[in-house]
Protein backbone atom coordinates (compact mmCIF):
# COMPACT_ATOMS: atom_id res chain seq x y z
CA UNK A 1 0.00 0.00 0.00
CA UNK A 2 2.81 2.39 0.87
CA UNK A 3 4.29 1.99 -2.60
CA UNK A 4 1.15 3.32 -4.28
CA UNK A 5 0.48 6.18 -1.84
CA UNK A 6 2.56 8.75 -3.81
CA UNK A 7 0.32 8.01 -6.80
CA UNK A 8 -2.57 9.82 -5.06
CA UNK A 9 -0.51 13.00 -4.66
CA UNK A 10 0.02 13.18 -8.41
CA UNK A 11 -3.36 11.90 -9.61
CA UNK A 12 -5.26 14.32 -7.37
CA UNK A 13 -2.88 17.24 -7.65
CA UNK A 14 -4.69 20.56 -6.95
CA UNK A 15 -4.33 21.57 -10.60
CA UNK A 16 -6.94 18.93 -11.53
CA UNK A 17 -9.54 19.87 -8.89
CA UNK A 18 -11.22 22.82 -10.72
CA UNK A 19 -11.90 20.58 -13.72
CA UNK A 20 -13.19 17.80 -11.45
CA UNK A 21 -15.50 20.31 -9.74
CA UNK A 22 -16.94 21.33 -13.11
CA UNK A 23 -17.40 17.72 -14.22
CA UNK A 24 -19.20 16.87 -10.98
CA UNK A 25 -21.41 19.95 -11.39
CA UNK A 26 -22.34 18.97 -14.96
CA UNK A 27 -22.98 15.35 -13.94
CA UNK A 28 -25.27 16.17 -11.02
CA UNK A 29 -26.91 19.43 -12.07
CA UNK A 30 -30.31 19.53 -13.70
CA UNK A 31 -28.86 20.30 -17.14
CA UNK A 32 -29.99 23.90 -17.40
CA UNK A 33 -27.70 24.53 -20.35
CA UNK A 34 -26.98 23.01 -23.75
CA UNK A 35 -24.11 20.65 -24.47
CA UNK A 36 -22.35 23.43 -26.36
CA UNK A 37 -22.50 25.72 -23.32
CA UNK A 38 -21.14 23.00 -21.05
CA UNK A 39 -18.37 22.26 -23.55
CA UNK A 40 -17.44 25.95 -23.63
CA UNK A 41 -17.43 26.00 -19.82
CA UNK A 42 -15.05 23.04 -19.66
CA UNK A 43 -12.83 24.53 -22.37
CA UNK A 44 -12.47 27.80 -20.44
CA UNK A 45 -11.77 26.00 -17.16
CA UNK A 46 -9.13 23.76 -18.74
CA UNK A 47 -7.35 26.73 -20.34
CA UNK A 48 -7.44 29.00 -17.27
CA UNK A 49 -6.92 26.49 -14.47
CA UNK A 50 -4.72 23.89 -16.18
CA UNK A 51 -2.80 24.99 -19.26
CA UNK A 52 -2.00 28.54 -18.13
CA UNK A 53 -0.80 27.48 -14.64
CA UNK A 54 1.23 24.67 -16.23
CA UNK A 55 2.82 27.18 -18.61
CA UNK A 56 3.61 29.51 -15.70
CA UNK A 57 5.12 26.58 -13.80
CA UNK A 58 7.54 25.73 -16.60
CA UNK A 59 8.43 29.41 -16.92
CA UNK A 60 9.14 29.63 -13.19
CA UNK A 61 11.13 26.40 -13.33
CA UNK A 62 13.22 27.81 -16.18
CA UNK A 63 14.12 30.80 -14.00
CA UNK A 64 14.81 28.59 -10.98
CA UNK A 65 11.88 29.84 -8.90
CA UNK A 66 10.45 26.34 -8.37
CA UNK A 67 12.07 22.92 -8.48
CA UNK A 68 9.05 20.64 -8.88
CA UNK A 69 5.30 20.75 -9.34
CA UNK A 70 4.90 19.91 -5.63
CA UNK A 71 6.58 23.22 -4.57
CA UNK A 72 8.04 21.77 -1.41
CA UNK A 73 9.53 24.99 -0.01
CA UNK A 74 7.63 27.98 1.39
CA UNK A 75 9.49 30.51 -0.78
CA UNK A 76 8.49 28.65 -3.95
CA UNK A 77 4.78 28.97 -3.29
CA UNK A 78 4.18 32.71 -3.24
CA UNK A 79 4.32 33.48 -6.97
CA UNK A 80 2.27 30.41 -8.05
CA UNK A 81 -0.40 31.19 -5.44
CA UNK A 82 -0.66 34.81 -6.60
CA UNK A 83 -0.98 33.58 -10.20
CA UNK A 84 -3.67 31.14 -9.14
CA UNK A 85 -5.65 33.90 -7.43
CA UNK A 86 -5.37 36.16 -10.48
CA UNK A 87 -6.52 33.41 -12.86
CA UNK A 88 -9.39 32.40 -10.56
CA UNK A 89 -10.49 36.03 -10.35
CA UNK A 90 -10.50 36.28 -14.15
CA UNK A 91 -12.50 33.06 -14.37
CA UNK A 92 -15.27 34.17 -12.00
CA UNK A 93 -15.41 37.65 -13.50
CA UNK A 94 -15.54 36.66 -17.17
CA UNK A 95 -16.69 33.05 -17.47
CA UNK A 96 -18.20 31.46 -14.37
CA UNK A 97 -20.26 34.41 -13.24
CA UNK A 98 -22.90 34.38 -10.53
CA UNK A 99 -25.61 34.93 -13.17
CA UNK A 100 -24.60 31.96 -15.36
CA UNK A 101 -23.35 29.30 -12.96
CA UNK A 102 -24.09 30.40 -9.37
CA UNK A 103 -23.11 27.07 -7.79
CA UNK A 104 -19.76 26.94 -9.60
CA UNK A 105 -19.22 30.64 -8.98
CA UNK A 106 -19.29 30.12 -5.21
CA UNK A 107 -17.14 26.99 -5.53
CA UNK A 108 -14.43 29.00 -7.27
CA UNK A 109 -14.93 32.01 -5.02
CA UNK A 110 -14.41 29.71 -2.05
CA UNK A 111 -11.28 28.42 -3.76
CA UNK A 112 -10.05 31.98 -4.19
CA UNK A 113 -10.56 32.69 -0.47
CA UNK A 114 -8.83 29.42 0.46
CA UNK A 115 -5.84 30.28 -1.73
CA UNK A 116 -5.63 33.74 -0.17
CA UNK A 117 -5.59 32.25 3.35
CA UNK A 118 -2.87 29.77 2.37
CA UNK A 119 -0.90 32.66 0.83
CA UNK A 120 -1.14 34.71 4.04
CA UNK A 121 0.05 31.73 6.10
CA UNK A 122 3.28 31.71 4.09
CA UNK A 123 4.25 34.97 5.83
CA UNK A 124 4.40 33.18 9.15
CA UNK A 125 6.40 30.38 7.47
CA UNK A 126 3.48 27.95 7.63
CA UNK A 127 3.06 25.63 4.65
CA UNK A 128 -0.58 24.52 4.66
CA UNK A 129 -1.26 21.56 2.38
CA UNK A 130 -2.70 22.75 -0.93
CA UNK A 131 -3.62 19.14 -1.74
CA UNK A 132 -5.88 19.06 1.31
CA UNK A 133 -7.31 22.49 0.51
CA UNK A 134 -8.29 21.24 -2.94
CA UNK A 135 -9.81 17.86 -2.03
CA UNK A 136 -11.70 19.25 0.98
CA UNK A 137 -13.15 22.11 -1.09
CA UNK A 138 -14.30 19.62 -3.73
CA UNK A 139 -15.79 17.31 -1.09
CA UNK A 140 -17.87 20.03 0.55
CA UNK A 141 -18.89 21.46 -2.81
CA UNK A 142 -20.29 18.03 -3.72
CA UNK A 143 -22.09 17.87 -0.37
CA UNK A 144 -23.60 21.26 -1.19
CA UNK A 145 -24.70 20.04 -4.63
CA UNK A 146 -26.36 17.02 -3.01
CA UNK A 147 -28.42 19.28 -0.75
CA UNK A 148 -29.07 21.93 -3.41
CA UNK A 149 -30.34 19.54 -6.08
CA UNK A 150 -31.90 17.12 -3.58
CA UNK A 151 -29.99 14.11 -4.93
CA UNK A 152 -28.60 11.09 -3.14
CA UNK A 153 -24.90 10.86 -3.97
CA UNK A 154 -23.79 9.35 -0.70
CA UNK A 155 -21.33 6.96 -2.37
CA UNK A 156 -19.65 9.82 -4.21
CA UNK A 157 -19.31 11.82 -1.00
CA UNK A 158 -17.99 8.78 0.89
CA UNK A 159 -15.46 8.18 -1.89
CA UNK A 160 -14.25 11.77 -1.62
CA UNK A 161 -13.74 11.41 2.14
CA UNK A 162 -11.81 8.19 1.49
CA UNK A 163 -9.71 9.99 -1.11
CA UNK A 164 -9.02 12.75 1.41
CA UNK A 165 -7.58 10.17 3.77
CA UNK A 166 -5.47 8.57 1.03
CA UNK A 167 -4.13 11.92 -0.14
CA UNK A 168 -3.29 12.93 3.44
CA UNK A 169 -1.51 9.60 3.95
CA UNK A 170 0.33 10.14 0.69
CA UNK A 171 1.56 13.59 1.73
CA UNK A 172 2.72 12.22 5.09
CA UNK A 173 4.45 9.25 3.45
CA UNK A 174 6.28 11.56 1.05
CA UNK A 175 7.27 13.76 4.04
CA UNK A 176 5.77 16.75 2.22
CA UNK A 177 3.77 17.95 5.23
CA UNK A 178 3.26 17.51 8.94
CA UNK A 179 -0.08 16.41 10.36
CA UNK A 180 -0.82 20.00 11.46
CA UNK A 181 -0.18 21.32 7.95
CA UNK A 182 -2.63 18.76 6.57
CA UNK A 183 -5.30 19.63 9.13
CA UNK A 184 -4.94 23.37 8.56
CA UNK A 185 -5.03 22.83 4.79
CA UNK A 186 -8.21 20.78 5.09
CA UNK A 187 -9.82 23.50 7.22
CA UNK A 188 -8.77 26.20 4.75
CA UNK A 189 -10.61 24.32 2.03
CA UNK A 190 -13.73 23.50 4.03
CA UNK A 191 -14.50 26.77 5.80
CA UNK A 192 -14.99 29.06 2.75
CA UNK A 193 -17.13 26.42 1.02
CA UNK A 194 -19.37 26.03 4.06
CA UNK A 195 -19.62 29.80 4.55
CA UNK A 196 -20.70 30.27 0.92
CA UNK A 197 -23.33 27.53 1.26
CA UNK A 198 -25.52 30.24 2.77
CA UNK A 199 -25.36 32.15 -0.52
CA UNK A 200 -26.51 29.35 -2.83
CA UNK A 201 -28.15 26.51 -0.91
Amino acid sequence: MKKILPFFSYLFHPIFIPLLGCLVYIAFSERFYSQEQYFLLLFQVVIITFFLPLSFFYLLRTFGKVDSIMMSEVRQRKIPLVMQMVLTYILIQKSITIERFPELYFFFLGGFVSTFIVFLLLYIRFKASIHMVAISALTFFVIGLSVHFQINILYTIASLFLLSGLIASSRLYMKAHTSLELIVGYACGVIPQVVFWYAWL
Side-chain angles (χ1 to χ4, degrees):
M1 181 64 182
K2 288 184 178 180
K3 291 182 179 180
I4 66 169
L5 279 176
F7 170 77
F8 291 98
S9 284
Y10 291 97
L11 183 62
F12 295 98
H13 189 277
I15 201 170
F16 300 122
I17 298 301
L19 178 59
L20 287 175
C22 288
L23 290 173
V24 169
Y25 169 75
I26 292 171
F28 296 129
S29 68
E30 297 180 355
R31 305 293 176 133
F32 297 115
Y33 303 96
S34 65
Q35 287 186 345
E36 290 77 14
Q37 288 173 306
Y38 282 131
F39 178 79
L40 180 60
L41 167 67
L42 290 175
F43 179 75
Q44 292 170 330
V45 169
V46 168
I47 293 296
I48 295 176
T49 68
F50 183 79
F51 285 113
L52 286 179
L54 208 57
S55 300
F56 281 132
F57 164 74
Y58 282 110
L59 182 64
L60 290 171
R61 189 171 183 179
T62 300
F63 287 100
K65 298 297 183 180
V66 298
D67 58 7
S68 79
I69 200 166
M70 294 300 176
M71 297 180 295
S72 56
E73 296 182 20
V74 169
R75 63 178 178 81
Q76 297 178 0
R77 294 180 166 223
K78 291 181 180 179
I79 296 175
L81 287 176
V82 169
M83 289 179 176
Q84 182 180 338
M85 285 188 285
V86 170
L87 291 173
T88 302
Y89 178 79
I90 292 171
L91 190 65
I92 61 178
Q93 285 295 309
K94 302 298 182 181
S95 301
I96 303 178
T97 63
I98 193 170
E99 294 83 12
R100 294 178 187 171
F101 304 101
E103 299 87 0
L104 276 179
Y105 172 85
F106 285 109
F107 170 58
F108 281 98
L109 184 60
F112 179 90
V113 174
S114 295
T115 305
F116 183 66
I117 295 170
V118 171
F119 176 76
L120 291 180
L121 289 173
L122 294 178
Y123 285 93
I124 59 170
R125 308 291 297 174
F126 189 86
K127 189 181 67 171
S129 172
I130 302 173
H131 278 76
M132 297 312 293
V133 170
I135 193 63
S136 64
L138 178 63
T139 301
F140 280 78
F141 173 61
V142 172
I143 293 172
L145 288 179
S146 175
V147 175
H148 183 61
F149 292 120
Q150 295 294 298
I151 51 177
N152 184 359
I153 49 174
L154 184 61
Y155 289 115
T156 302
I157 294 169
S159 298
L160 286 170
F161 277 114
L162 176 61
L163 276 175
S164 298
L166 290 170
I167 293 168
S169 299
S170 172
R171 304 308 287 157
L172 286 173
Y173 177 74
M174 295 173 72
K175 295 181 170 55
H177 290 286
T178 65
S179 296
L180 180 60
E181 290 170 344
L182 294 173
I183 293 169
V184 171
Y186 200 87
C188 287
V190 170
I191 293 171
Q193 295 297 323
V194 172
V195 168
F196 287 128
W197 275 355
Y198 294 96
W200 64 276
L201 286 189

